[in-house]
Amino acid sequence: MRKFTLNPLVLAMAASVLPATSFAQDASNDQLEEVVVTGSFRASLANALNTKRTSANNVDAIVAEDMGKMPDLNLAESLQRVPGVAITREGGEGRNITVRGLGPSFSATTLNGMEVPSSTGGLDSSGGVNRGRSFDFNVFASELFNKIILNKSSKGSLEEGGLASTVELYSAKPFDNPGPHAVIGGSMAVDNLTGEDDPRIVAMASNTFADDKFGVLVSFAQSERNIRQEGFGTVRYTSAFDNSNRSFVGDDSTVAITGTPDPLANYPELNPADTKVTSESLDYMLFPRLPRMDSFNTDQKRTGVTGSFQFRPTDRMEFTLDYLKSDLKTEVSSYNFFAQFRNTFGSITPTSIVLDEAGRVAVAGEFTGVTPRVESRGQFSDTEFEQVVLSGKFDLTDNLKLDVMFGNAAVVHDEEQYRFNLDALNPTYANADAPRRQAINGLNPTYFSYDFRENSDIAEMTYGFDINNPLNYHFTAPTIRKDIVERENDTFRSDLTWDLDESSIKTGVIWNERNITSERHDPTEGSLTDPVARVSTGSGTSTIMPITSASTNLVTTLSAVTKGYGDAIDPPAGFPTDFVINDFAATKAAYGAGSFTLNPNDPSTFDVTENTAGIYAEYTRSMELAGMPLMVNTGLRYVETEVESLGVAGGVASKRSSDYAEWLPSLNATLEVVEDFLIRFSANRNLSRPNLSSMTATVNATPINGNISVGNPGLDPIIADAVDLGFEWYFAEESVLGITFFHKDIDSFILNSTVSGLLPADLKAIIGTAYPQTNPASPSFDPNGVSMNDEWNISTPINGEGAKLDGYEISYQQPFSFLPAALEGFGVFANYTYVDSEITYPGDIKGTLTGLSENSYNYGIYFEREQFGARVVVNGRDDYVTAIPGSDRNYSENTTGPTRVDMSAFYNITDNIKVSLEVINLTEEDERLYTTGPLSSGGDLNLVREINNTGREISLGLRATF
């Protein structure tokens, strides 16, 4: 039997010839009715609801309450209140969005009409430097914008690329609100962990002149934020078997084991008759790779300015020049103290092990031969974004309009990273000076124990030496580098709209050039020296550099740079809360670090350019169908894409190119079956392009984890057919109750194909040269790291099997105008989203899409009167997968879905002066990442990877309008 499928192209063509009986409403989606309510959160909800109701396609909106006053302190956190949107955070602040289960790279973001890039840096656990298409919303101050529209279904005039959604950002313009206006405001925030004051200021002024023919608007926003993120981590779990089939020293007979080991529960493929399985069963038990104390400290300064200049020489002509600049300076000091199991199983002797009830995980243990390490990492970055857009509107005739736009947007992320390691000093390394003999005498720096029995997320830990005595450590080879990632977009578009008596036709062309340039800069030759022995390193450093009594100025303790470590996570009594760390300024000076030279042969150095050209036609018609108002919007878009990439593999430059073209039809229809009850239907085809950074012929590695990423210039785009069916009941003023069902059929999903094993000869040569710390013949070789002769996880992006995604959204919004006068002012808003997905990963692994939470919700209650208002907002989501298959042969890496509670309040002192209070993360929610166990056992465990807390932030502000 032939399977019938609903083809959006057929639907779009059919809709274009539907007969009309009469016309019930304005056919143009560009002319939206405005709700005139200002100066309140309720007004923001009302205007957003009106935008949603009158749009031709399925959208949600967020509208500023007033000039320079978005409802939230961060754009991503504003978007998380939209049905179907979930966010990820960096240092407690929203960074990226996931829409209807599809990750950040599937949402396109435009600013003032053109697609724009946004890249920042971050911790390794949150993805590090963004070289992909995902948009980092934390670059921008929210005050710079006055409207956000999130398109969940496509239409012909909407640029392709947002398979999950297209987010449209708009900055304020003087003609939006003619006449003189000014705003100045400021706030002071305090975080309960740092105890430091974080100022935030905003100023905006606009005016129109010459009978509103000329207008000027300028704005300025600046904020400082000091974040302390503290916690505990394991950096995933692994076994000696999974770690290149290493083996503990000794066998089971030498260890006091509590519990019954069950190696086959972790690795069903094992032969139960194998004598190694029975006599050395601990090699198949799961241990934390790097049980550690974590302290991440961030100082951030964000500055933004906008300028908008508008000129209307005649009633038929209007020109706008928009300028936006944002600068985000971030300094992150990370301190981790960990016991090294990864890659060192062969030198570790377990003496006592406690297993979980299933006999799979070592929940407690005592060991000798463990090498503790202190990692002090400094990340100093500057992200600069700049956009210029020139646009013009021309009324060629009474019903023929031309819109033209040309824009340029660029973002440059410049980051220096310094990673200094201190290893516990083995007694055999001790030199003859008396202070060192005294520090080492009678101690065993290789003894380590951990115990999760009191707290399954945070272990008690004991070391066999004084971890606060600097003479017990030696320097190992540092990692020092500089990354510059520059992304630039140029866009030209022209749209022609023909308004007929009973419909409208819109056509247009668009051209884009997108470029990403990534550069890796190495320390300048000869600038690095041993901080103790002053030995020139060239390509590496000596591996044994003991700290002497004369060089203790290079180190300090955690308690000297951050107070009260451990307070936020409530650790068990045996959890260490202080340890030796590097003093960044002193250590940088001792190494002579800070000078860099571009390394053109590094795998992280590449250049990719993408050119796209598109043309579309869109037809909108309002009519009646059996006496019911009906609006139909149908369109067809054609787009061509050419990609050219230049990268390096094995020291050889490689230039590759590819091209493809697609037809993208769309249909949107809204039927008002009874007054204020709408049925909304959408069917469309859209695409998301591969990350430009994935399309380079490069080889990139993370030696500390044994992971290699090999680029694939031949990747095809991800194409999906989508259908939405929604029911919206606008049962009262400013109110809605709605449900939308959605389905996406994705034809080919880009996945990482990961193979674990020894490196082939070509990759071995590349890794040994590009990463000398993996090469045993190099002076930079790290014996406690992954060697080029070990097994690695080799990943390559491929166009894998397709995926299906289904779900529904429920939304409700209502001011309680029916309450007695004494209670007037209350209102609620709430939404719930359910998403289910089917996808097959390489290796025939069934799973869900990364970043997808099956259930997510937002709800809040507000109270507003003319003088006073307050609101409490709750946001939650289910656990979600961040990587599958994960590293170290884990089935997946996941994140526990948080539930966040925020609140705000205001009081109008006068008609022009308002005082406000904001509380972020009211309940001090933890962030928890976890791993699910070995790949072959199906990932049925929940083992902590990292748990941390950023505390609660309280802000008090004052705002004046004129």
Side-chain angles (χ1 to χ4, degrees):
M1 178 181 294
R2 182 180 178 184
K3 185 177 179 181
F4 174 78
T5 58
L6 190 64
N7 190 314
L9 177 57
V10 174
L11 289 172
M13 294 172 64
S16 66
V17 296
L18 282 174
T21 57
S22 66
F23 294 85
Q25 55 185 337
D26 185 359
S28 174
N29 182 48
D30 296 328
Q31 298 175 351
L32 300 180
E33 177 188 353
E34 292 294 333
V35 176
V36 184
V37 185
T38 60
S40 66
F41 178 67
R42 177 176 171 180
S44 173
L45 293 176
N47 281 285
L49 191 62
N50 186 65
T51 300
K52 176 182 179 66
R53 177 171 181 168
T54 56
S55 294
N57 59 323
N58 185 6
V59 308
D60 282 286
I62 299 164
V63 182
E65 310 169 24
D66 200 352
M67 190 167 64
K69 184 65 174 72
M70 286 300 290
D72 299 274
L73 298 178
N74 177 278
L75 293 176
E77 290 161 9
S78 288
L79 284 165
Q80 76 174 342
R81 292 192 282 105
V82 170
V85 176
I87 70 172
T88 55
R89 291 180 169 86
E90 180 69 44
E93 183 179 35
R95 178 178 178 180
N96 304 125
I97 65 169
T98 293
V99 179
R100 292 179 169 179
L102 291 172
S105 63
F106 293 96
S107 287
T109 301
T110 67
L111 172 55
N112 293 324
M114 66 167 291
E115 184 181 354
V116 290
S118 176
S119 293
T120 62
L123 304 177
D124 287 348
S125 59
S126 61
V129 177
N130 177 6
R131 291 181 172 89
R133 291 189 190 268
S134 57
F135 191 87
D136 291 336
F137 287 90
N138 55 338
V139 169
F140 303 102
S142 62
E143 294 91 346
L144 302 180
F145 305 93
N146 68 345
K147 182 188 291 186
I148 307 173
I149 295 178
L150 187 138
N151 296 269
K152 296 178 182 176
S153 67
S154 185
K155 56 182 180 177
S157 57
L158 190 67
E159 188 174 358
E160 77 289 339
L163 192 148
S165 71
T166 297
V167 181
E168 299 177 82
L169 306 177
Y170 295 94
S171 59
K173 297 171 176 55
F175 286 172
D176 293 342
N177 195 8
H181 302 277
V183 173
I184 185 167
S187 66
M188 188 66 71
V190 63
D191 183 293
N192 67 324
L193 294 184
T194 65
E196 297 186 33
D197 296 331
D198 297 332
R200 187 181 185 111
I201 60 173
V202 59
M204 182 177 289
S206 71
N207 201 357
T208 55
F209 311 93
D211 296 326
D212 295 337
K213 291 188 176 183
F214 182 73
V216 178
L217 182 148
V218 293
S219 70
F220 172 82
Q222 187 174 84
S223 62
E224 295 181 17
R225 192 163 181 255
N226 297 277
I227 311 135
R228 195 173 91 199
Q229 179 175 318
E230 61 178 45
F232 167 80
T234 64
V235 197
R236 300 178 298 276
Y237 274 67
T238 191
S239 67
F241 171 69
D242 260 345
N243 195 206
S244 298
N245 203 17
R246 292 177 169 90
S247 184
F248 280 119
V249 176
D251 56 30
D252 292 357
S253 64
T254 64
V255 186
I257 301 176
T258 302
T260 303
D262 187 358
L264 270 69
N266 285 331
Y267 306 101
E269 72 273 20
L270 294 174
N271 181 357
D274 190 332
T275 56
K276 187 177 188 305
V277 173
T278 56
S279 64
E280 299 179 38
S281 61
L282 292 182
D283 288 351
Y284 306 96
M285 300 296 98
L286 300 177
F287 294 83
R289 292 177 72 249
L290 300 170
R292 70 185 194 183
M293 297 83 83
D294 291 336
S295 175
F296 306 106
N297 305 273
T298 302
D299 295 331
Q300 185 182 87
K301 184 175 182 179
R302 180 167 43 213
T303 304
V305 296
T306 70
S308 182
F309 309 91
Q310 292 188 290
F311 178 47
R312 187 182 292 145
T314 72
D315 292 340
R316 291 181 174 272
M317 190 180 301
E318 180 179 299
F319 299 94
T320 302
L321 177 65
D322 287 310
Y323 175 79
L324 190 148
K325 182 177 177 64
S326 183
D327 181 68
L328 178 67
K329 290 182 169 61
T330 305
E331 296 184 2
V332 182
S333 300
S334 307
Y335 306 105
N336 314 108
F337 189 107
F338 49 86
Q340 299 184 84
F341 283 80
R342 58 116 200 256
N343 312 322
T344 63
F345 283 94
S347 62
I348 296 175
T349 302
T351 58
S352 174
I353 297 294
V354 179
L355 298 175
D356 67 340
E357 292 183 0
R360 303 175 62 183
V361 182
V363 296
E366 295 184 66
F367 313 84
T368 60
V370 175
T371 303
R373 171 173 286 183
V374 181
E375 180 182 277
S376 301
R377 184 193 309 190
Q379 295 170 261
F380 308 98
S381 67
D382 187 3
T383 303
E384 293 186 355
F385 174 93
E386 189 169 28
Q387 184 201 40
V388 179
V389 176
L390 177 63
S391 59
K393 297 181 179 181
F394 307 91
D395 292 345
L396 303 180
T397 68
D398 290 342
N399 61 354
L400 190 62
K401 300 176 183 179
L402 175 67
D403 292 89
V404 180
M405 183 271 289
F406 177 76
N408 171 269
V411 60
V412 180
H413 178 76
D414 188 324
E415 178 176 311
E416 296 180 10
Q417 185 177 130
Y418 302 85
R419 186 183 301 182
F420 302 119
N421 295 330
L422 299 172
D423 281 8
L425 188 67
N426 190 298
T428 59
Y429 298 153
N431 60 22
D433 69 275
R436 182 169 305 285
R437 289 199 307 272
Q438 184 177 3
I440 296 297
N441 187 33
L443 301 177
N444 181 5
T446 72
Y447 171 84
F448 172 70
S449 72
Y450 72 84
D451 194 336
F452 282 101
R453 286 175 291 181
E454 180 180 336
N455 186 327
S456 60
D457 284 337
I458 304 175
E460 298 183 30
M461 292 180 288
T462 303
Y463 294 86
F465 67 105
D466 181 3
I467 64 175
N468 286 304
N469 188 334
L471 298 181
N472 288 331
Y473 298 89
H474 67 85
F475 282 88
T476 60
T479 299
I480 301 175
R481 67 180 185 227
K482 179 185 179 76
D483 286 298
I484 299 178
V485 177
E486 181 174 358
R487 299 167 66 185
E488 184 171 9
N489 287 16
D490 289 305
T491 299
F492 170 80
R493 68 178 297 163
S494 176
D495 301 280
L496 187 66
T497 304
W498 185 17
D499 289 324
L500 304 175
D501 291 339
E502 301 174 338
S503 59
S504 70
I505 298 174
K506 191 172 184 179
T507 63
V509 296
I510 187 169
W511 169 86
N512 284 287
E513 180 177 272
R514 307 179 185 94
N515 175 264
I516 178 172
T517 301
S518 174
E519 296 180 350
R520 169 60 55 82
H521 295 248
D522 292 336
T524 300
E525 186 76 16
S527 69
L528 292 182
T529 54
D530 179 332
V532 179
R534 313 298 293 178
V535 176
S536 178
T537 63
S539 62
T541 63
S542 170
T543 57
I544 304 301
M545 298 170 275
I547 299 176
T548 67
S549 54
S551 61
T552 55
N553 66 303
L554 302 183
V555 297
T556 182
T557 59
L558 182 65
S559 59
V561 299
T562 178
K563 305 298 182 184
Y565 170 72
D567 292 348
I569 55 174
D570 191 25
F575 183 79
T577 57
D578 199 14
F579 50 90
V580 166
I581 62 173
N582 276 99
D583 182 296
F584 275 114
T587 308
K588 281 178 61 179
Y591 273 104
S595 177
F596 297 89
T597 302
L598 173 66
N599 183 350
N601 298 317
D602 190 277
S604 293
T605 298
F606 60 82
D607 185 276
V608 183
T609 299
E610 178 181 81
N611 285 285
T612 65
I615 185 170
Y616 76 90
E618 179 181 284
Y619 177 60
T620 304
R621 190 173 188 178
S622 292
M623 63 193 79
E624 282 192 358
L625 180 65
M628 297 177 290
L630 173 67
M631 180 170 65
V632 176
N633 169 274
T634 183
L636 183 62
R637 190 176 191 91
Y638 174 76
V639 61
E640 294 182 347
T641 305
E642 296 180 354
V643 181
E644 186 173 277
S645 66
L646 178 64
V648 176
V652 179
S654 175
K655 187 174 183 179
R656 301 286 293 273
S657 61
S658 63
D659 61 84
Y660 50 86
E662 294 293 338
W663 291 92
L664 305 172
S666 62
L667 167 68
N668 298 279
T670 303
L671 179 68
E672 189 169 2
V673 293
V674 296
E675 187 176 2
D676 298 323
F677 187 87
L678 308 181
I679 298 178
R680 193 183 297 273
F681 175 80
S682 299
N684 64 81
R685 172 171 292 179
N686 206 340
L687 63 82
S688 279
R689 298 181 174 90
N691 284 330
L692 293 176
S693 57
S694 299
M695 301 181 70
T696 60
T698 59
V699 177
N700 214 332
T702 309
I704 196 169
N705 295 326
N707 296 328
I708 297 176
S709 177
V710 180
N712 182 359
L715 287 172
D716 292 325
I718 302 172
I719 300 172
D721 291 327
V723 177
D724 288 14
L725 178 62
F727 304 88
E728 300 165 8
W729 181 26
Y730 298 88
F731 57 89
E733 188 176 353
E734 305 171 43
S735 304
V736 69
L737 176 63
I739 183 170
T740 299
F741 300 90
F742 53 87
H743 168 80
K744 278 187 171 61
D745 192 347
I746 305 171
D747 70 344
S748 176
F749 216 82
I750 294 178
L751 305 170
N752 276 325
S753 175
T754 302
V755 177
S756 297
L758 297 175
L759 299 177
D762 56 342
L763 281 182
K764 188 174 181 180
I766 293 171
I767 297 301
T769 302
Y771 303 92
Q773 66 269 38
T774 70
N775 188 348
S778 169
S780 295
F781 177 63
D782 182 358
N784 292 318
V786 178
S787 165
M788 66 181 190
N789 299 317
D790 290 329
E791 289 189 351
W792 290 66
N793 304 306
I794 307 169
S795 297
T796 303
I798 62 171
N799 287 104
E801 295 188 29
K804 295 184 184 299
L805 186 148
D806 294 278
Y808 59 88
E809 302 166 347
I810 301 174
S811 58
Y812 167 60
Q813 178 179 314
Q814 182 179 18
F816 291 160
S817 54
F818 54 83
L819 292 175
L823 298 176
E824 185 179 350
F826 280 102
V828 297
F829 55 94
N831 61 71
Y832 164 79
T833 303
Y834 171 82
V835 188
D836 183 40
S837 68
E838 299 176 9
I839 186 169
T840 301
Y841 290 91
D844 199 33
I845 300 171
K846 309 295 183 181
T848 61
L849 295 174
T850 58
L852 182 150
S853 292
E854 189 173 77
N855 300 282
S856 60
Y857 58 86
N858 303 271
Y859 62 87
I861 185 170
Y862 64 86
F863 175 81
E864 279 196 5
R865 290 189 177 177
E866 185 175 350
Q867 193 167 19
F868 169 78
R871 60 184 162 111
V872 177
V873 180
V874 180
N875 171 267
R877 62 185 299 192
D878 283 353
D879 296 2
Y880 56 96
V881 176
T882 54
I884 182 170
S887 300
D888 307 296
R889 299 181 185 175
N890 280 274
Y891 181 86
S892 67
E893 298 171 24
N894 296 21
T895 296
T896 301
T899 299
R900 296 263 301 199
V901 181
D902 303 321
M903 68 85 63
S904 65
F906 71 87
Y907 179 78
N908 289 322
I909 300 175
T910 69
D911 290 343
N912 302 101
I913 300 177
K914 175 189 292 187
V915 62
S916 62
L917 175 69
E918 305 266 355
V919 183
I920 308 300
N921 197 14
L922 182 66
T923 56
E924 298 185 65
E925 181 77 10
D926 290 332
E927 181 179 62
R928 182 180 180 273
L929 290 72
Y930 63 96
T931 187
T932 56
L935 181 64
S936 56
S937 65
D940 56 346
L941 298 174
N942 186 320
L943 304 172
V944 66
R945 177 191 174 194
E946 183 180 316
I947 187 168
N948 59 68
N949 194 293
T950 55
R952 180 192 305 117
E953 184 178 335
I954 302 175
S955 174
L956 183 65
L958 189 67
R959 174 183 171 87
T961 59
F962 307 95

